[in-house]
Amino acid sequence: MSRLMLGKTLERICKAVLLLCLVHFLIMTIFYLDVYTQRFDIFSRFNTRNYSKVHQYFNISKSNGTSLTFLGSEDHFISSRKLEHNLTVTKKPLPMCPDVPPGLVGRLLIEFNSLMTMEKVQQENPDVQMGGKYKPSDCIAKQRVAIIIPFRHREHHLKFWLHYLHPILRRQKINYGIYIINQHGEGMFNRAKLLNIGYVEVLKDEEYDCFVFSDVDLIPMDDRNLYHCYDQPRHFAIAMDKFGFRITLKGMKVSRPDSKIGKYRMIKHERDKHNEPNPQRFTKIQNTKVTMKQDGINSLKYKLVNVAKYPMYTNITVDIGTPPPRPSRA
């Protein structure tokens, strides 16, 4: 009887020992796995930090199609979808440019004694696009303005004109293009015909709201003289006003800037050969009412020689043909 009881007791003790060993084994296994996981996590973070020094961010893709993104030196991962949503920047629409831009400086010092080159003009105006075109980057210009210059053999004047006018027009927040209408050959210079040709050719390049006709030797002395579009024809250089009859016969009025800001400085030069005053000019002006319907855009004849786009302007060279002989003074 005592032997039987002793055997049962030993059996219970063995089972308890085995159970204890099993519990110990499970505890050691769990502890080992936890330590291994921590070491692997530390190793992964260490490699991630090293990688982030080279790359600002990287994505770790999962099999379910989502991804985790590690940012800089942070120690956590966040959903790339959530990050993309948070970092999405909605661009605000640009405002319209003001009628009177705040960056105008007013009266300008204009001088022609310094050395001027096209390279210098280009360096001064890096925002001007090929062909002499510009539009503001911080607002939307209300108008598109084409500036047309009749031209022949005035390269020296052109450098100074571009040097002063590009900064002025940029401060005025204008979407503009500059076009040089170059008369080919050495025949009689016809300024009025070149202006008409410029109007026709410029519209082939782009649509503009208005046109400014300028001489290459006239520089505005105040940037408040805005080269904008106006309801009526506008005479910017008020000191140069002589004749406005074509305009008045059409029932329009010439608007002018204030006398304080409408001053221009002229580059002194000798009159070009074949650009002598026409002795019949006053007679022609008096007959404008009769001739204006037949003489102008509707009767314009010329030959387009070449169109070239340069960094600061577009050059349009034309052959205007031979003018009819002038009648004798008698």
Side-chain angles (χ1 to χ4, degrees), residues 147-165:
I147 301 175
I148 298 175
I149 302 176
F151 185 87
R152 186 172 66 178
H153 303 328
R154 294 289 182 88
E155 287 76 11
H156 177 69
H157 295 170
L158 179 60
K159 296 173 185 177
F160 281 101
W161 192 94
L162 295 171
H163 165 70
Y164 285 111
L165 265 296

Side-chain angles (χ1 to χ4, degrees), residues 144-328:
R144 303 181 67 184
V145 181
I147 301 175
I148 298 175
I149 302 176
F151 185 87
R152 186 172 66 178
H153 303 328
R154 294 289 182 88
E155 287 76 11
H156 177 69
H157 295 170
L158 179 60
K159 296 173 185 177
F160 281 101
W161 192 94
L162 295 171
H163 165 70
Y164 285 111
L165 265 296
H166 269 303
I168 290 176
L169 298 173
R170 288 166 54 206
R171 289 197 297 271
Q172 293 181 356
K173 301 295 183 182
I174 302 173
N175 184 342
Y176 68 88
I178 294 177
Y179 296 85
I180 305 301
I181 313 302
N182 181 38
Q183 180 173 327
H184 177 73
E186 300 299 330
M188 186 65 65
F189 186 76
N190 193 330
R191 178 181 181 273
K193 189 171 184 178
L194 291 176
L195 296 179
N196 286 336
I197 294 173
Y199 170 80
V200 173
E201 288 296 324
V202 165
L203 285 179
K204 296 178 183 177
D205 185 40
E206 286 192 27
E207 290 290 336
Y208 287 97
D209 298 309
C210 61
F211 302 83
V212 175
F213 301 113
S214 174
D215 290 330
V216 74
D217 57 355
L218 286 179
I219 309 296
M221 301 179 66
D222 197 308
D223 62 0
R224 293 171 295 178
N225 191 0
L226 301 176
Y227 278 47
H228 290 177
C229 302
Y230 297 86
D231 295 334
Q232 296 290 334
R234 189 171 181 84
H235 198 272
F236 292 100
I238 59 173
M240 302 297 294
D241 189 19
K242 289 184 180 180
F243 312 110
F245 303 117
R246 289 182 177 265
I247 295 175
T248 55
L249 289 175
K250 286 295 184 179
M252 297 182 288
K253 296 181 179 180
V254 179
S255 64
R256 296 177 176 84
D258 185 86
S259 60
K260 295 181 179 179
I261 65 175
K263 296 180 179 180
Y264 279 68
R265 184 172 182 185
M266 176 180 287
I267 305 176
K268 294 182 179 181
H269 60 88
E270 298 295 331
R271 181 174 289 273
D272 299 335
K273 187 178 180 181
H274 301 302
N275 190 23
E276 297 82 5
N278 186 350
Q280 304 295 325
R281 62 188 184 278
F282 295 105
T283 302
K284 288 181 175 292
I285 291 174
Q286 292 175 355
N287 295 330
T288 296
K289 187 175 182 179
V290 178
T291 61
M292 64 183 300
K293 294 182 180 180
Q294 293 81 29
D295 184 17
I297 298 293
N298 54 1
S299 62
L300 191 61
K301 294 180 181 180
Y302 64 95
K303 179 180 179 182
L304 181 63
V305 177
N306 181 49
V307 177
K309 294 184 180 295
Y310 296 99
M312 294 291 104
Y313 63 95
T314 296
N315 184 84
I316 301 176
T317 302
V318 294
D319 185 351
I320 65 173
T322 304
R326 293 177 178 177
S328 62

